[in-house]
Amino acid sequence: MDGFFLFLNGLIWGLIIALIALGLTLIFGVMGIVNMAHGDFYMIGAVISYYIVSYLNNFWLSLIIVPLLAILLAAPLERFVLRPYEGFPSSSMIATVGISFIIQQLALAVYGGIPKKIVNPFPLDISMFGIYYPGYRMLVALISIVTLLFLWLFLYKTSFGILIRASMQDREMANAMGINVNRVLISTFAIGVVLATIGGVLAAPITQVFYLMGNDIVLLSFIVVVIGGLGSLKGTFITALALCAIEGVMASFLSPTQARVLTFLLMIVILMFKPSGIFKD
Amino acid sequence: MKKSFVIVFFVMFLLTTFFIASVNTAEGQTAKKEPIRIGLIAEKTGGLAAYGYSHEKVIVAAINKVNKEGGISGRPIELFVEDTESKPSVGALKFRKLVETDKVDFVFNSNSSGIAIACAPIAKELKVPYFPCSSAAELAGEKGNRYVFQFATNVAQECKGAAEFAIKHIGKKWVTVVVDYAWGWSNEKEFTKYITEKGGKVLKSIRVPLGTGDWIPYLKGNIPKEAEAVYFANFGSDFLSFIRDLYVVRPDIKKLGAVYAISAQDPKKLGKEAEGLYCLTSYPTRLAGLNTQYNKTFRNLIGIDPEGKESGTGKYFIPAYNWTIWEAFFALKSAIEKSGWTSKADTPKLIQILEKMSFKESVEHPQGDKYIRAEDHISITGLYVEKIENGEIKVVAKIPAKDTIYTPMANRINESF
């Protein structure tokens, strides 16, 4: 039973990681940018949500306000800072590390260096197969699934989604076909940032809100993206769930720290045999 | 020709006047007494930032008080503060910077055991008396030295003092849950030792990395059914995550926290997860727990109200070990005055004086009577047990100093300077 509980817990973290990693892979796939600041957008989501809870006393408002603020932040960042680096992954890493430092130091200056906690906004336990599970975590799973469903509908069922996927497959050809690539670029970056900030908002009540909280998450997200196959949406989603669930199960008989070590070992083994990731065509 | 001569003469006159004036000022400055330089390594950022903030505030209040009253032996105190970022490697570097660049004579603080342990050998190497606020018992053992004085009650004292209360009032079968660094390990080791001595048993020991947001993977499946109580060593947001997730895993289990756990927490906001929780402390969180005139004055001087909130901001302050930095500073003041310390050459004499000192309850020593044990440089004093009842923190037991005394693990008296 403990194993199942931890498997479930892993799966929920997997959904949060999927939100973040999908943004990362979208940004890489469409823009050719390795976004080292992605974890910091996750942090921004959590920090803004902390302020919303403190001042407006309503956690759920964060799920509306934070994505809007994320768009306002992402659009100028893409247009004025990142555009010259698009298509140059190595130099984009340097640029985004710079952005990451700026965001972290701004958060340190404004929010402070003390980790803070958001009170559980949904303090209800849910019984499932005879075990109690914190209701908020189940809600996180639900919200993540709905968000991911919307993302899927957007990318696969709308014409703009098709433009994004076309640009992911071949940017030059997409441009030659008359697709307004600039519009695609700015929207993709905004979608990626919005996903990361939603991840931050959802994770805030089950973790600690801290200006360096993005560092761990961005590492795990990169592992997911690399194992899943750089730029593969399906691969990223499946890997995020699988990796976190496996880590959860391993945590039932190992310490969580040892489980994380095994995850890294797993990554090394997979990359030895499949250097471009499992789902890369 | 005449005109240029007048200009040259005028310029020379100005230069000479300026030179004489500057020589006079320099002489005036040397005539003033050289300040005593004191360094503070504080956790201003990182996981322990709230503690660094409170400790800096306390030492500033202590220095302001002394400077207003004429300084120490007529010399003013100058404070140099460095941020350790809550990291031992940074703390050790900053310790060196304070001594080597800022030329401080004494160093205070770091309530991070990892940082204090990293700095202790540097204090000896640079021959600077060091007063950490850490409570790691290792500082009183092999990790300390003759230059290190530990004013905070250490974990060995705390666990020895608490063991009897824990067995009598809480339970016999325990699980320890500690943060995975020096202070946590120290708590795990000492609690297990003293609870076993008193006839109890620790069924399982769990370590969790500092700053973990999700404690469920660490707790779920790891707390045996027969366990009656958890002894935990964590604080700040770790504590909040811990009680939240422990409640999910074992809502019925009793809890005893190491010193610090409920510091700066608003008990009303902790909810059912924390109701009935016991916590050790060397200094009561509320004024009501130690309602003396000295303690009132101390709290006024450092700017906290009877509830433990900071004046001005209304935020809960962290009083747990603030008294240690305050009292260590005034102990140093007395030692400087008694030993006639004027420069680093007098430091060995000052240390010998400190080793023999005892203190009566006063504004300078508001926590109560105590003495420094010469062998291992710890301060011997009493403890309190607090409990959260109906959303209020109350002192439910006082542990006298004699119950906390354990056999010293070191003997510094013959250690060379």
Side-chain angles (χ1 to χ4, degrees), chain B residues 161 165 282 289-290 367-368 381-385 395-401 403:
Chain B
F165 179 88
S282 55
L290 177 62
Q367 192 262 354
T381 189
L383 289 170
Y384 299 84
V385 181
V395 169
V396 289
K398 186 169 181 346
I399 300 165
D403 289 358

Side-chain angles (χ1 to χ4, degrees), chain B residues 265-316:
Chain B
Q265 302 292 355
D266 180 352
K268 285 189 183 67
K269 282 191 185 160
L270 293 175
K272 59 181 188 232
E273 288 100 332
E275 190 58 29
L277 172 151
Y278 292 95
C279 189
L280 288 173
T281 187
S282 55
Y283 179 80
T285 312
R286 304 282 180 261
L287 178 66
L290 177 62
N291 202 354
T292 63
Q293 194 50 49
Y294 301 131
N295 192 27
K296 255 182 216 162
T297 313
F298 165 64
R299 287 171 92 105
N300 278 341
L301 286 169
I302 63 168
I304 56 169
D305 72 5
E307 276 289 291
K309 288 179 183 166
E310 185 182 21
S311 322
T313 64
K315 284 183 184 164
Y316 275 99

Side-chain angles (χ1 to χ4, degrees), chain B residues 109-409:
Chain B
N109 200 33
S110 186
N111 59 322
S112 152
S113 300
I115 296 170
I117 287 171
C119 291
I122 307 174
K124 178 154 184 166
E125 180 198 326
L126 303 177
K127 300 193 182 305
V128 171
Y130 174 39
F131 304 88
C133 284
S134 147
S135 58
E138 289 87 341
L139 279 175
E142 79 272 27
K143 303 281 186 196
N145 57 63
R146 209 161 182 189
Y147 286 85
V148 180
F149 286 87
Q150 191 175 29
F151 266 74
T153 48
N154 73 33
V155 175
Q157 290 168 281
E158 290 159 1
C159 291
K160 183 158 196 295
E164 196 166 314
F165 179 88
I167 293 278
K168 260 192 196 161
H169 301 277
I170 307 176
K172 282 195 172 142
K173 290 176 186 157
W174 290 78
V175 170
T176 61
V177 181
V178 303
V179 279
D180 198 0
Y181 79 103
W183 176 72
W185 306 330
S186 200
N187 267 290
E188 181 186 286
K189 185 180 143 203
E190 303 297 338
F191 185 78
T192 307
K193 181 179 164 188
Y194 291 112
I195 211 79
T196 315
E197 263 180 26
K198 295 277 176 195
K201 199 175 176 191
V202 172
L203 305 173
K204 181 105 185 173
S205 302
I206 301 167
R207 294 178 175 185
V208 183
L210 195 65
T212 296
D214 186 2
W215 287 58
I216 283 183
Y218 295 86
L219 301 174
K220 188 74 190 167
N222 281 326
I223 299 179
K225 279 197 176 70
E226 62 270 34
E228 296 165 82
V230 169
Y231 176 74
F232 64 95
N234 53 43
F235 48 82
S237 53
D238 276 339
F239 163 71
L240 296 173
S241 305
F242 161 73
I243 52 158
R244 176 197 63 203
D245 294 344
L246 180 68
Y247 192 78
V248 170
V249 175
R250 275 289 299 270
D252 58 315
I253 205 158
K254 291 174 180 169
K255 298 169 272 285
L256 170 66
V259 171
Y260 256 140
I262 53 175
S263 231
Q265 302 292 355
D266 180 352
K268 285 189 183 67
K269 282 191 185 160
L270 293 175
K272 59 181 188 232
E273 288 100 332
E275 190 58 29
L277 172 151
Y278 292 95
C279 189
L280 288 173
T281 187
S282 55
Y283 179 80
T285 312
R286 304 282 180 261
L287 178 66
L290 177 62
N291 202 354
T292 63
Q293 194 50 49
Y294 301 131
N295 192 27
K296 255 182 216 162
T297 313
F298 165 64
R299 287 171 92 105
N300 278 341
L301 286 169
I302 63 168
I304 56 169
D305 72 5
E307 276 289 291
K309 288 179 183 166
E310 185 182 21
S311 322
T313 64
K315 284 183 184 164
Y316 275 99
F317 206 56
I318 299 173
Y321 283 136
N322 281 334
W323 67 270
T324 71
I325 202 158
W326 176 270
E327 293 202 11
F329 177 77
F330 284 101
L332 174 69
K333 177 177 181 282
S334 311
I336 290 175
E337 286 162 353
K338 273 192 188 157
S339 64
W341 182 94
T342 54
S343 68
K344 277 194 170 157
D346 305 322
T347 297
K349 201 172 148 198
L350 175 126
I351 289 175
Q352 283 165 332
I353 298 267
L354 267 173
E355 284 170 345
K356 290 180 202 126
M357 285 185 109
S358 58
F359 312 95
K360 279 265 156 236
E361 193 171 355
S362 57
V363 172
E364 286 76 20
H365 297 280
Q367 192 262 354
D369 293 354
K370 60 183 59 64
Y371 65 92
I372 294 177
R373 187 159 74 173
E375 290 94 328
D376 53 1
H377 289 196
I378 63 171
S379 86
I380 305 286
T381 189
L383 289 170
Y384 299 84
V385 181
E386 295 185 322
K387 189 180 182 188
I388 299 181
E389 276 177 337
N390 306 319
E392 290 295 332
I393 298 177
K394 284 176 187 150
V395 169
V396 289
K398 186 169 181 346
I399 300 165
K402 67 174 175 48
D403 289 358
T404 69
I405 299 173
Y406 64 93
T407 319
M409 294 180 284

Side-chain angles (χ1 to χ4, degrees), chain A residues 2 5-6 9 13 108 113-117 123 132 134 137 205-208 210-211 251 256-257, chain B residues 45-47 49-50 209 211-218 220-221 237-238 240-241 244-245 248 272:
Chain A
D2 290 340
F5 188 101
L6 290 170
N9 199 46
W13 273 106
L108 176 63
I114 303 167
K116 296 177 189 113
K117 239 185 66 40
Y132 280 93
R137 289 181 194 232
I206 51 175
T207 184
Q208 299 179 8
F210 182 46
Y211 79 106
T257 323
Chain B
T45 56
T212 296
D214 186 2
W215 287 58
I216 283 183
Y218 295 86
K220 188 74 190 167
S237 53
D238 276 339
L240 296 173
S241 305
R244 176 197 63 203
D245 294 344
V248 170
K272 59 181 188 232

